[in-house]
Amino acid sequence: MGSQRVSGDNDIDLWSEVAAAEVGQPQVAVIYRRRRAENSGIDVQISQTFKGNRLSLAPSKRISWNRALSTRGRTSIAISADVVYRHQLKQKEAKKNPKRAPYNRTNVKFPDYGNERAYFKEVDSFELLEESPSPKNFGTWSMGIQSDQIILPDVSSRLRKWLISRQPTQSCGPSSSLAKILETPGVPMESVYCDVSKSSNEKTPVLISAQKSNVKGLDLGDVSSDDLGEEITKLTLKSNHTSIDGNYHDSFSMLLMFCKQSSPSTMSDVFSQYCDPINIVKIGEGTYGEAFKVGATVCKIVPIDGDLRVNGEMQKRSSELLEEVVLSRTLNNLRGHDNNEYNACTTFIETIDLRVCQGAYDPILIKAWEDWDGKHGSENDHPKEFPENQCYVVFVLAHGGQDLESFVLLNFNESRSLLVQVTAALAVAEASYEFEHRDLHWGNILLTRKNDATVHFTLEGKPMWAQTFGLKVSIIDFTLSRINTGERILFLDLSSDPLLFEGPKGDSQFETYRKMREVTEECWDGSYPKTNVLWLQYLVDILLLKKSFKRASKDERELRSLKKRLHSYSSARESITDAFFEELFVSADEQKEIGGNS
Ligand SMILES: Nc1ncnc2c1ncn2[C@@H]1O[C@H](COP(=O)(O)OP(=O)(O)OP(=O)(O)O)[C@@H](O)[C@H]1O
């Protein structure tokens, strides 16, 4: 990231300030690399050099927190059944002691992270100025219900998850069943916070959901959408009676059904729908997925259900992908395909299609993978290892552009627009689905330049148009997110990931995870929209400290006071009412004059 900034004469140069503050400190570059999962922890390789005057984390390759954390992600699958039970215990304790239920680490057996702790102790003694990529790799989703859960007998975790998910949520109205979610585009599950001024400490804000008409069904062959919901449930319950190894074919069948397929496709079948396959280029990678630009879309390919370890990880199972699919599709519903939506926005990346594929990795993709590796140095395993019978889920996504980390913001207006778009999107998703992103670091915000002068949101029935100043924001990566679909709550139990909270002190990303832990009191299934506000504060920090764009000292003051005021808001929904955002919205009349998208 460049540390140059274009500034007016009166500007305070933050970078100079930071550099000045560092004078006299040891000049250290810490280089470390993380070991993959099979090595049962992190191989921290620290080297110190004394050449620059800024402390930085300079990885030999891409720093990958997620890889280190992945070992625990797998644990969270196994304990997912206990999550709800533990939450009940925590709630009981919390009732006894209204201040705070203590987090009893002694009852939880975590792997030994002694080495990592020693490492963090060492880096903590320095001021850390570099951001770290996301710890994205956390295994499976957990599901719970909002309140008054029935303590279930000791059944298999997956069955329990589904049994719980079938309990009607007391506070939600007509649910957004799986079958209905599948009816995208345009399932208008519309939900309202009854009282947005309520304190965030009230754990489950009351949602009133109203299923609207005009629900369009997909062509699901012989299966009607109502039957589909039932079939999915039966299938899952049935499959959960059997062992994990024995049952995934059932989940696989469901996945096929979700993708409207009777059998897996080949990768080239899918890609040829979007472009001439020779034009495919790799654009990014995650621990589980490889992302390729395929025509105007991005295809994220996630291998599933195989025995071959990928990037040091067990492959994800069909059942896990099912849950991710539900979450992506639920957010897709916000995109507003008719004009009746009570809550709508287009900021969450669009999932255009989902496909199940089978076969060895396509040679064209292998070539694209190798080209990217040559330029960027991949952390992932070479995909030529995949066998002929390997299965994958392909997420066909809209192309969201470049991530905030690498994107060059030009001026204060672009930064303001970034903030208003993210805040409004979170407000809409909170209002509709009690959504919390929980991992909104600068790698998960994509930016692109567009001609539209405004971007449209509908929040609780009220249409709003935010000025873009030519910038379009997309939010990706819902791995840590929490959502209430109306029928179920999808969340990840971050307590099973203690290292997430032991990241470097002073690193605003890791400070944010720690603040989330305080806010949620580790009841990760609960609704705490304040977590969205914490990430907004993080974003303001990033804009002030990590991004160079043309700005005056007055602009910096505005950002700093926004950050302060954000302290007092308990949700993105409240935050969007802040004066900072006011002048970024245009009225309906102005919108008509501008003639932007509506
Ligand atoms: N829709 C998109 N538009 C543009 N780039 C994208 C898109 N989706 C993913 N990418 C790129 O691919 C990279 C990997 O994507 P992503 O983080 O979603 O992978 P992942 O497999 O979910 O990661 P992990 O499993 O480790 O959480 C991103 O950092 C981004 O650079």
Side-chain angles (χ1 to χ4, degrees):
M1 186 197 59
S3 60
Q4 306 276 322
R5 75 177 276 234
V6 188
S7 62
D9 289 347
N10 298 330
D11 299 354
I12 298 164
D13 188 326
L14 277 175
W15 294 109
S16 315
E17 281 182 4
V18 171
E22 287 169 355
V23 171
Q25 288 194 7
Q27 298 172 356
V28 179
V30 180
I31 297 171
Y32 66 94
R33 191 164 164 262
R34 289 173 184 276
R35 194 194 308 158
R36 292 191 170 167
E38 64 266 30
N39 298 328
S40 68
I42 300 170
D43 180 8
V44 179
Q45 183 190 330
I46 299 177
S47 84
Q48 300 187 339
T49 57
F50 293 82
K51 38 187 170 149
N53 72 348
R54 180 188 297 275
L55 171 75
S56 66
L57 295 176
S60 54
K61 277 190 166 189
R62 177 164 63 94
I63 302 170
S64 180
W65 291 98
N66 50 349
R67 288 168 202 269
L69 295 163
S70 61
T71 48
R72 289 156 302 154
R74 293 289 129 195
T75 317
S76 78
I77 299 170
I79 68 161
S80 60
D82 301 330
V83 168
V84 173
Y85 179 67
R86 275 202 285 131
H87 173 50
Q88 289 159 355
L89 288 181
K90 279 181 199 165
Q91 280 188 326
K92 278 185 192 156
E93 283 177 62
K95 273 184 195 149
K96 276 192 231 149
N97 172 9
K99 266 190 170 170
R100 185 177 194 282
Y103 178 47
N104 186 356
R105 283 174 182 274
T106 53
N107 289 339
V108 189
K109 293 244 182 313
F110 294 126
D112 180 9
Y113 290 107
N115 288 346
E116 293 86 326
R117 267 188 213 105
Y119 161 70
F120 283 121
K121 249 189 174 166
E122 183 156 1
V123 293
D124 279 354
S125 56
F126 302 104
E127 186 190 357
L128 290 159
L129 294 171
E130 290 295 314
E131 282 299 302
S132 312
S134 168
K136 289 178 198 162
N137 178 9
F138 285 89
T140 194
W141 294 90
S142 302
M143 298 186 192
I145 59 173
Q146 290 173 302
S147 57
D148 303 329
Q149 296 96 331
I150 296 159
I151 296 181
L152 294 161
D154 186 22
V155 290
S156 86
S157 67
R158 289 181 184 203
L159 175 58
R160 189 197 295 255
K161 264 178 17 174
W162 277 83
L163 286 174
I164 290 166
S165 72
R166 297 298 296 168
Q167 302 295 326
T169 48
Q170 277 84 12
S171 57
C172 284
S175 71
S176 172
S177 67
L178 281 181
K180 296 214 165 68
I181 285 168
L182 282 170
E183 287 168 322
T184 46
V187 179
M189 176 197 163
E190 297 184 350
S191 315
V192 196
Y193 279 127
C194 277
D195 178 3
V196 292
S197 61
K198 247 178 355 181
S199 143
S200 65
N201 295 334
E202 282 182 49
K203 288 185 183 166
T204 307
V206 179
L207 276 171
I208 303 170
S209 310
Q211 204 70 45
K212 280 216 173 174
S213 55
N214 304 331
V215 173
K216 299 174 199 113
L218 292 174
D219 178 13
L220 294 165
D222 294 339
V223 191
S224 80
S225 50
D226 280 344
D227 291 346
L228 181 60
E230 221 162 89
E231 282 309 307
I232 287 164
T233 307
K234 276 194 230 149
L235 205 45
T236 316
L237 291 174
K238 192 174 118 209
S239 71
N240 282 318
H241 281 291
T242 61
S243 73
I244 287 174
D245 281 340
N247 81 44
Y248 76 80
H249 290 294
D250 288 343
S251 305
F252 187 75
S253 309
M254 283 197 292
L255 204 48
L256 281 171
M257 236 199 288
F258 268 59
C259 299
K260 295 172 276 162
Q261 291 170 255
S262 52
S263 59
S265 317
T266 62
M267 288 188 190
S268 58
D269 276 351
V270 175
F271 296 145
S272 53
Q273 286 180 15
Y274 297 97
C275 77
D276 181 343
I278 55 165
N279 294 324
I280 293 174
V281 286
K282 177 171 162 174
I283 56 163
E285 64 183 25
T287 307
Y288 292 109
E290 300 276 354
F292 296 89
K293 183 176 178 304
V294 181
T297 71
V298 170
C299 290
K300 195 169 97 174
I301 302 176
V302 182
I304 54 164
D305 288 338
D307 296 328
L308 179 76
R309 274 183 168 249
V310 182
N311 312 322
E313 295 297 323
M314 291 275 294
Q315 292 178 28
K316 285 191 179 182
R317 299 284 122 185
S318 310
S319 54
E320 295 171 69
L321 263 300
L322 270 174
E323 293 164 10
E324 268 185 58
V325 162
V326 171
L327 191 124
S328 316
R329 290 240 165 142
T330 306
L331 287 174
N332 249 12
N333 294 335
L334 290 174
R335 301 192 71 80
H337 295 275
D338 61 41
N339 290 321
N340 275 348
E341 286 76 17
Y342 198 72
N343 288 296
C345 75
T346 54
T347 309
F348 298 97
I349 201 74
E350 181 180 13
T351 303
I352 295 167
D353 198 4
L354 291 152
R355 296 292 287 271
V356 179
C357 293
Q358 188 168 26
Y361 231 67
D362 194 281
I364 284 179
L365 294 187
I366 291 187
K367 162 116 184 18
W369 190 95
E370 286 170 348
D371 289 347
W372 195 87
D373 187 37
K375 284 189 202 135
H376 305 277
S378 174
E379 260 194 86
N380 285 354
D381 295 340
H382 196 295
K384 70 179 177 212
E385 304 301 332
F386 287 116
E388 291 289 332
N389 62 352
Q390 176 66 51
C391 292
Y392 316 83
V393 171
V394 179
F395 291 84
V396 183
L397 307 167
H399 197 316
Q402 243 181 312
D403 63 31
L404 173 59
E405 181 178 4
S406 50
F407 192 88
V408 179
L409 289 169
L410 296 179
N411 52 44
F412 183 56
N413 277 341
E414 287 193 346
S415 299
R416 295 199 298 165
S417 183
L418 186 160
L419 287 171
V420 76
Q421 290 184 49
V422 172
T423 309
L426 291 174
V428 167
E430 267 174 18
S432 199
Y433 296 120
E434 292 185 342
F435 176 80
E436 296 166 50
H437 189 284
R438 295 186 174 176
D439 198 18
L440 204 50
H441 62 77
W442 65 351
N444 286 336
I445 293 178
L446 304 181
L447 298 163
T448 186
R449 290 211 163 78
K450 290 238 162 106
N451 286 332
D452 301 323
T454 58
V455 58
H456 183 227
F457 297 89
T458 307
L459 179 58
E460 296 166 353
K462 187 181 166 212
M464 305 188 309
W465 292 270
Q467 294 185 69
T468 64
F469 300 103
L471 203 67
K472 174 76 176 91
V473 175
S474 298
I475 295 175
I476 59 165
D477 196 353
F478 312 114
T479 311
L480 305 196
S481 304
R482 180 213 185 257
I483 200 166
N484 181 348
T485 66
E487 187 178 65
R488 64 189 59 218
I489 293 169
L490 304 179
F491 71 102
L492 205 73
D493 180 29
L494 304 186
S495 302
S496 61
D497 245 310
L499 194 57
L500 180 62
F501 306 103
E502 293 174 21
K505 278 184 197 145
D507 176 312
S508 53
Q509 183 183 341
F510 283 91
E511 293 299 347
T512 306
Y513 297 128
R514 286 189 277 270
K515 284 179 198 157
M516 283 206 302
R517 183 174 59 177
E518 275 169 35
V519 164
T520 59
E521 297 183 344
E522 303 199 61
C523 296
W524 295 104
D525 56 344
S527 171
Y528 299 92
K530 178 79 186 179
T531 63
N532 287 332
V533 183
L534 296 176
W535 285 105
L536 293 175
Q537 289 181 303
Y538 156 91
L539 279 179
V540 177
D541 276 345
I542 289 292
L543 292 174
L544 277 169
L545 295 167
K546 300 293 180 103
K547 299 305 289 183
S548 311
F549 52 86
K550 189 172 180 192
R551 66 223 194 180
S553 49
K554 173 180 135 304
D555 303 332
E556 289 178 350
R557 273 200 305 278
E558 263 192 55
L559 284 171
R560 280 196 292 268
S561 57
L562 168 66
K563 190 187 167 194
K564 251 189 216 155
R565 290 192 303 276
L566 285 169
H567 279 301
S568 63
Y569 301 130
S570 55
S571 61
R573 173 68 189 85
E574 280 183 25
S575 309
I576 199 66
T577 61
D578 188 89
F580 181 91
F581 300 118
E582 219 167 285
E583 66 183 48
L584 294 169
F585 287 107
V586 301
S587 67
D589 288 342
E590 287 169 323
Q591 170 61 22
K592 271 188 205 140
E593 270 171 40
I594 295 167
N597 66 332
S598 54

